[in-house]
Amino acid sequence: MARKPETQLLNAPTDVISAVKFSPKTNKFLLVSSWDASVRLYDIVNNTVRLHFNSQSPVLDCAFQNSTKAASGGLDNLVKLYDLNTHTESTLGSHSAGVKCVEYTGLLNGILTGSWDRTVKLWDAREKECAGTYEQSNGKVYSMSCVEEKLVVATSERKVLIWDLRNMKHYIERRESSLKYQTRAVRCFPNAEGYVMSSIEGRVAVEYFDSSPEVQKKKFAFKCHRAKGNDIELIYPVNAISFHSVYNTFATGGSDGYVNIWDGFNKKRLCQFHLYDSSISSLCFSDDGSTLAIACSYMDEAEKPPEPFPEPTLYVRYVNEQETRPK
């Protein structure tokens, strides 16, 4: 029997889905954090919740360290570690304000967290200790991404900080965001050439690490997740970005309820999926690029909430080459 191109997962969180992350090297397990104070592990092949951890506060992000360990951070300021084999959780440490971002760095085999307390911390999960706290006076951490030795941090004051993970004493570069409005997401290219960032004002910027003039000429920004209605342009936040690891193409998810796939090198949109239930709050491609997890959650963008109120939903879409490969 042919597999459906898209499946809705059962037992979705009951509040805004803050992050969806695939387990490394497989598209079977999906880690999901939510404002309903939960972290869930889904078996997407059998469409079941395999593990369910409850917290006291909304969980803002999560990440796999490896196939058996994961971490999360949230509004209780805590960084938590989960052992998915023994179904146990422990506290790795804390920030002095909400933990907005959680990333795993393979280079250091550590967990990176970014907080509204304006710090980035590196955690040694084996020793269960903080391996470094990196202060920066450029605003709250809103989004964070790392690839190879590069760490990119986007802040509330529209600054972009670039660190070399091999020497974290100070960031190596501070850039002003090329987007005029608040940053919503930043993700690094899998080939480590640069990063893509999005804003609340329906724009996406493609940036490059190499500061030479000929490379910097290639950077650009474009409008997306916009619609015309009664001669008025409706502009939606671009909440989520995820890269296809094989093709270096990327997906964006907006508060318009659409997911688009882009070829950033050739400045082209490859496709747009159907309209989803509500705003796209998080996206994640599996490591092999075969599957895209799509989280839908109403994010209080409208003056009046829609009727009936949309419940959070989770989908996994089995993408094909036509949708993701550069033409």
Side-chain angles (χ1 to χ4, degrees):
M1 203 166 77
R3 182 170 65 178
K4 286 183 185 172
E6 192 169 279
T7 302
Q8 183 174 348
L9 296 182
L10 304 174
N11 301 307
T14 55
D15 204 340
V16 173
I17 299 164
S18 54
V20 288
K21 303 278 178 79
F22 272 106
S23 179
K25 300 184 175 58
T26 175
N27 63 349
K28 185 179 179 183
F29 297 115
L30 185 72
L31 196 68
V32 176
S33 59
S34 168
W35 279 73
D36 72 1
S38 76
V39 173
R40 291 168 164 87
L41 180 70
Y42 288 83
D43 175 339
I44 71 167
V45 175
N46 296 305
N47 203 344
T48 56
V49 177
R50 187 161 173 159
L51 292 172
H52 187 150
F53 296 99
N54 279 318
S55 183
Q56 297 299 310
S57 302
V59 186
L60 303 184
D61 202 4
C62 60
F64 279 98
Q65 182 182 359
N66 53 44
S67 58
T68 61
K69 294 217 168 40
S72 75
L75 283 186
D76 56 6
N77 308 351
L78 299 177
V79 181
K80 291 185 176 172
L81 196 64
Y82 305 97
D83 188 314
L84 307 177
N85 274 347
T86 60
H87 303 193
T88 54
E89 66 174 273
S90 54
T91 299
L92 202 49
S94 65
H95 282 263
S96 59
V99 182
K100 177 65 174 68
C101 305
V102 182
E103 291 284 315
Y104 169 68
T105 161
L107 187 77
L108 304 177
N109 190 23
I111 302 288
L112 289 158
T113 54
S115 167
W116 290 337
D117 67 6
R118 298 173 178 243
T119 68
V120 172
K121 291 191 178 190
L122 173 66
W123 305 90
D124 181 336
R126 286 164 305 177
E127 301 295 327
K128 295 204 173 164
E129 63 184 21
C130 181
T133 299
Y134 311 102
E135 309 267 349
Q136 49 82 22
S137 56
N138 296 280
K140 298 173 180 178
V141 176
Y142 271 6
S143 189
M144 197 163 85
S145 181
C146 61
V147 61
E148 296 176 11
E149 80 284 357
K150 290 282 199 304
L151 169 67
V152 179
V153 175
T155 76
S156 57
E157 293 176 10
R158 293 183 45 258
K159 298 292 186 285
V160 180
L161 310 170
I162 301 167
W163 264 276
D164 185 325
L165 289 168
R166 296 164 301 187
N167 180 10
M168 288 280 288
K169 287 195 178 104
H170 200 269
Y171 49 81
I172 52 173
E173 197 178 345
R174 182 179 73 173
R175 296 179 178 181
E176 189 84 17
S177 168
S178 55
L179 303 174
K180 287 182 187 168
Y181 293 84
Q182 188 190 96
T183 305
R184 204 31 89 78
V186 65
R187 300 311 299 164
C188 293
F189 272 98
N191 65 7
E193 285 184 16
Y195 57 91
V196 169
M197 59 192 300
S198 67
S199 77
I200 58 168
E201 191 250 345
R203 280 180 197 265
V204 167
V206 177
E207 302 277 342
Y208 292 89
F209 291 128
D210 187 335
S211 56
S212 65
E214 62 268 26
V215 173
Q216 285 300 307
K217 267 187 212 159
K218 295 197 292 185
K219 73 177 192 178
F220 67 100
F222 61 94
K223 296 177 184 178
C224 55
H225 297 282
R226 295 172 177 227
K228 280 262 168 59
N230 299 328
D231 293 330
I232 298 169
E233 187 175 39
L234 303 170
I235 298 170
Y236 298 92
V238 185
N239 305 314
I241 302 166
S242 183
F243 270 96
H244 191 287
S245 60
V246 182
Y247 299 134
N248 284 287
T249 53
F250 60 93
T252 59
S255 289
D256 56 352
Y258 283 103
V259 174
N260 295 323
I261 309 278
W262 306 90
D263 174 358
F265 292 114
N266 295 309
K267 305 184 183 179
K268 279 183 185 164
R269 184 169 78 177
L270 297 173
C271 69
Q272 181 178 75
F273 300 155
H274 63 84
L275 180 63
Y276 285 89
D277 313 309
S278 58
S279 303
I280 309 300
S281 56
S282 185
L283 292 170
C284 185
F285 273 111
S286 58
D287 267 7
D288 67 356
S290 68
T291 314
L292 179 66
I294 300 163
C296 308
S297 313
Y298 175 66
M299 297 170 74
D300 293 326
E301 300 96 336
E303 284 178 33
K304 279 186 183 170
E307 298 272 349
F309 189 83
E311 296 295 325
T313 49
L314 271 171
Y315 295 90
V316 286
R317 186 179 180 98
Y318 301 99
V319 293
N320 58 48
E321 280 207 351
Q322 243 179 329
E323 294 169 326
T324 55
R325 187 175 190 161
K327 292 182 173 56

